[in-house]
Amino acid sequence: MDLQKNMKKLAKLENVDILKNLNSNVKIKIWHKIVGGFAIMLAIIVFVSTLAIQNSKKVQSRVGKVRKASMLYEEIQNIAINQQNFLIERDSKYVTEVQMANLSLMNDIDIARKSHKDPVDLDALAKVKKDVEKFTEKLQVLSRAQQNGVLTDEMVKKASKELKGDLDTIHESIEGYMKTQEKKLEALYKFNRMIGYVSLILGVI
């Protein structure tokens, strides 16, 4: 009898040890899963935060490019006004104003080109620069004719049409460049919103 009782006690003790070991293993596995889950979440948060910071810098850069594009457009408008004044009043001082505005515009275009890497943007700015130079050269020819006293009404009438066509081309080029910058800025804002939603979801989780 004593032997049977001892055997039963021993069996119970063995069962208790087994249960303790099982509980210990389960706790370790759960702990590993919790730590692993937190590590994964932390890695995702760090990744998303890094993307958000990088994209914010891109947004700031693109906003600056949009502002520069708007400034270039205003400078072209100034050139157009002085060109029109020259054709009306036939005073060479307006050509001088065009030349000064042209130098400022060329400088700003070169600065804008340095901030770009996209070949499409670089080509667009190069085209604007080339078109403005062509326009200014034609105006200088008229100015020399005016100074030499050989500028006729027929020459002014013909040049007016040509210069208007050149200005339209310049406006189309700069407007195309501006719209490209605005579209890229809009794409960055959309990406930022998406990152914000992902961050919000991760925060809830």
Side-chain angles (χ1 to χ4, degrees):
M1 291 293 292
D2 291 337
L3 182 60
Q4 288 180 351
K5 286 180 180 180
N6 290 332
M7 290 293 289
K8 287 180 180 180
K9 287 180 180 180
L10 185 61
K12 285 181 180 180
L13 288 172
E14 288 177 352
N15 288 335
V16 169
D17 289 337
I18 291 169
L19 288 172
K20 284 182 178 179
N21 288 332
L22 284 173
N23 286 335
S24 179
N25 290 333
V26 169
K27 286 179 181 178
I28 289 171
K29 286 180 180 178
I30 292 173
W31 175 249
H32 284 169
K33 287 182 179 179
I34 292 171
V35 172
F38 274 119
I40 291 170
M41 288 294 293
L42 182 61
I44 293 172
I45 290 170
V46 169
F47 176 71
V48 171
S49 299
T50 302
L51 279 180
I53 292 169
Q54 289 178 345
N55 204 56
S56 295
K57 290 179 180 178
K58 288 181 180 179
V59 167
Q60 291 176 355
S61 175
R62 190 61 60 183
V63 167
K65 288 171 183 175
V66 171
R67 286 175 180 168
K68 284 179 182 177
S70 179
M71 184 176 63
L72 293 176
Y73 188 84
E74 289 177 4
E75 288 179 326
I76 289 170
Q77 290 294 92
N78 183 36
I79 289 174
I81 290 170
N82 282 295
Q83 170 261 329
Q84 192 65 31
N85 287 337
F86 169 74
L87 293 178
I88 294 171
E89 299 183 23
R90 300 191 185 183
D91 189 336
S92 294
K93 73 177 183 180
Y94 294 113
V95 176
T96 302
E97 291 292 329
V98 169
Q99 290 172 333
M100 291 175 64
N102 181 54
L103 287 173
S104 176
L105 179 62
M106 294 297 105
N107 183 58
D108 288 335
I109 288 175
D110 288 338
I111 292 171
R113 280 172 60 84
K114 289 177 182 178
S115 67
H116 284 289
K117 292 181 180 179
D118 189 338
V120 175
D121 294 331
L122 292 171
D123 290 344
L125 287 170
K127 187 178 186 307
V128 172
K129 186 174 181 179
K130 184 178 179 181
D131 291 340
V132 172
E133 286 174 343
K134 179 182 176 184
F135 171 85
T136 306
E137 285 173 6
K138 287 184 179 180
L139 200 57
Q140 286 174 341
V141 170
L142 291 176
S143 178
R144 285 194 290 270
Q146 170 67 18
Q147 290 171 354
N148 294 330
V150 294
L151 185 64
T152 63
D153 291 341
E154 187 64 29
M155 289 173 66
V156 170
K157 187 177 180 180
K158 182 181 177 182
S160 180
K161 290 181 180 179
E162 290 180 356
L163 291 171
K164 184 180 181 301
D166 291 340
L167 275 174
D168 289 342
T169 300
I170 293 168
H171 280 130
E172 285 176 8
S173 298
I174 197 65
E175 283 174 3
Y177 171 72
M178 285 177 65
K179 286 178 181 178
T180 299
Q181 303 314 305
E182 288 168 357
K183 285 180 181 178
K184 288 181 178 181
L185 181 60
E186 185 180 353
L188 288 171
Y189 277 133
K190 286 180 179 178
F191 186 70
N192 253 6
R193 282 199 297 271
M194 183 187 72
I195 291 175
Y197 291 142
V198 171
S199 299
L200 183 63
I201 291 168
L202 288 174
V204 171
I205 294 173

